[in-house]
Amino acid sequence: MTSETITAAASGTWRLGDLTVHRIGFGAMRLTGSGAFDVGTPSDRERVIGVLRRAVELGVNHIDTASFYFSSLRSANELINRALGPYPDGLVITTKVGPGRDPSGAWYWATPDQLRGQVEENLRQLGRDHLDVVNLRLKGPGPIAEHFGALAELREAGLIRHLGISNARPEHLAEAQAVAPVVCVQNRYSIDSRRPEADAFLRTCGEQGVAFVPFFAIAGAGREDGASAAEHPEILAVAEAHGATPAQVRLAWTLQRGPHVLAIPGTGNPDHLTANLAAAALQLTPSELTTLDTLAPA
């Protein structure tokens, strides 16, 4: 399929609270290098700055990032600030807090009292006076009201516009909504790596007007390491039928899960960027969707 003239607008729109975004956006994790964080080869700074600017030119108005997306040489937030500041009207930047990394790169999980520092770190790095959307990334099962309440206080103070949750379960959504409005749920979700109960949770989000934002939609089980060179024969067959790539099929399947489902593929490669956005115009048939659905793990 051709990709030169296809923009993010082909994916349609969804509202995150009062903010309207195209349903295909951009994930910033891959900006720092060939692998996430300190893994792989550092990115070419000017090249990824060019990718960010080209993404916005092609209609991307939703960028997902985090202050812990950094390597020894690159920071995703700093690259976004350098490439796009002063930010164009309508650009929505979503970030996440909960996990953190100290200057050495060592990981920690924030206490409720530490969340303000993480929010302020994102503000400084991005050069903004408020954050459009902040997702509370969850560590696992268990109550979240204290952490989410701390973010709700920062929302009331004007540092955050909207709140979401990440790596969440249905009970987390209900608990968070009892504290403050939730505009999005960001979970691991792909054709072949979603949990058995994930489809029901996706539908629940749609029924409540909450955006569902999959991460690792292309990488699948590869997670931070990226997509595997091996691919399911079923995905290859659909890709061949449409003159598309397997990655485009995975993104098209993601977008066709529901009008409230957003995609945030990330890349530091300008050719991959245009190919990813072109997936917004790829319409899979009902029979193809049924075939791909069978790839879900038991």
Side-chain angles (χ1 to χ4, degrees):
M1 61 184 296
T2 182
S3 60
E4 288 303 315
T5 59
I6 298 173
T7 72
S11 64
T13 61
W14 185 260
R15 290 177 67 83
L16 297 171
D18 61 344
L19 304 172
T20 300
V21 298
H22 290 135
R23 291 180 57 226
I24 191 164
F26 184 90
M29 189 175 69
R30 298 286 173 189
L31 291 177
T32 61
S34 59
F37 313 118
D38 283 299
V39 178
T41 305
S43 61
D44 182 296
R45 178 178 169 78
E46 293 308 313
R47 187 187 200 208
V48 295
I49 285 175
V51 167
L52 282 163
R53 290 174 176 166
R54 183 58 176 156
V56 172
E57 289 174 359
L58 291 173
V60 169
N61 60 1
H62 175 213
I63 296 176
D64 177 81
T65 188
S67 63
F68 53 81
Y69 288 172
F70 69 86
S71 67
S72 57
L73 296 177
R74 301 283 183 266
S75 158
N77 279 356
E78 187 274 329
L79 291 165
I80 291 167
N81 189 352
R82 174 68 180 86
L84 303 177
Y87 298 103
D89 292 340
L91 178 65
V92 174
I93 299 180
T94 297
T95 189
K96 61 189 74 67
V97 296
R101 295 169 71 202
D102 66 24
S104 73
W107 289 92
Y108 70 92
W109 283 90
T111 65
D113 290 341
Q114 291 175 314
L115 290 175
R116 184 183 184 107
Q118 291 189 337
V119 167
E120 291 176 344
E121 182 180 21
N122 279 282
L123 289 169
R124 286 192 300 271
Q125 293 174 352
L126 291 167
R128 307 198 75 173
D129 59 7
H130 76 277
L131 299 174
D132 296 320
V133 182
V134 173
N135 285 306
L136 175 63
R137 171 80 171 182
L138 306 179
K139 192 174 183 179
I144 66 167
E146 190 175 0
H147 283 78
F148 199 74
L151 293 181
E153 291 177 3
L154 297 178
R155 176 176 172 268
E156 291 297 319
L159 298 184
I160 301 171
R161 194 160 180 174
H162 298 295
L163 296 173
I165 51 178
S166 177
N167 197 36
R169 302 170 184 237
E171 59 268 26
H172 292 140
L173 177 58
E175 186 178 0
Q177 286 174 319
V179 176
V182 175
V183 300
C184 56
V185 169
Q186 188 183 92
N187 274 12
R188 178 186 173 195
Y189 186 86
S190 72
I191 289 176
D192 53 351
S193 68
R194 63 197 194 274
R195 295 191 184 108
E197 67 273 15
D199 291 337
F201 191 22
L202 180 150
R203 290 190 294 271
T204 296
C205 289
E207 291 163 0
Q208 298 182 17
V210 175
F212 189 87
V213 189
F215 56 84
F216 300 142
I218 295 177
R223 299 169 64 97
E224 291 89 348
D225 293 334
S228 169
E231 186 54 277
H232 297 281
E234 295 87 347
I235 294 177
L236 293 173
V238 173
E240 183 178 3
H242 290 273
T245 67
Q248 288 174 324
V249 170
R250 285 174 173 271
L251 287 173
W253 177 89
T254 299
L255 291 170
Q256 288 182 242
R257 301 305 283 173
H260 67 297
V261 179
L262 311 183
I264 48 171
T267 183
N269 183 313
D271 294 331
H272 290 170
L273 170 69
T274 55
N276 287 344
L277 296 182
L282 175 57
Q283 290 296 311
L284 306 179
T285 68
S287 62
E288 288 170 338
L289 292 170
T290 298
T291 298
L292 296 175
D293 287 350
T294 64
L295 301 179

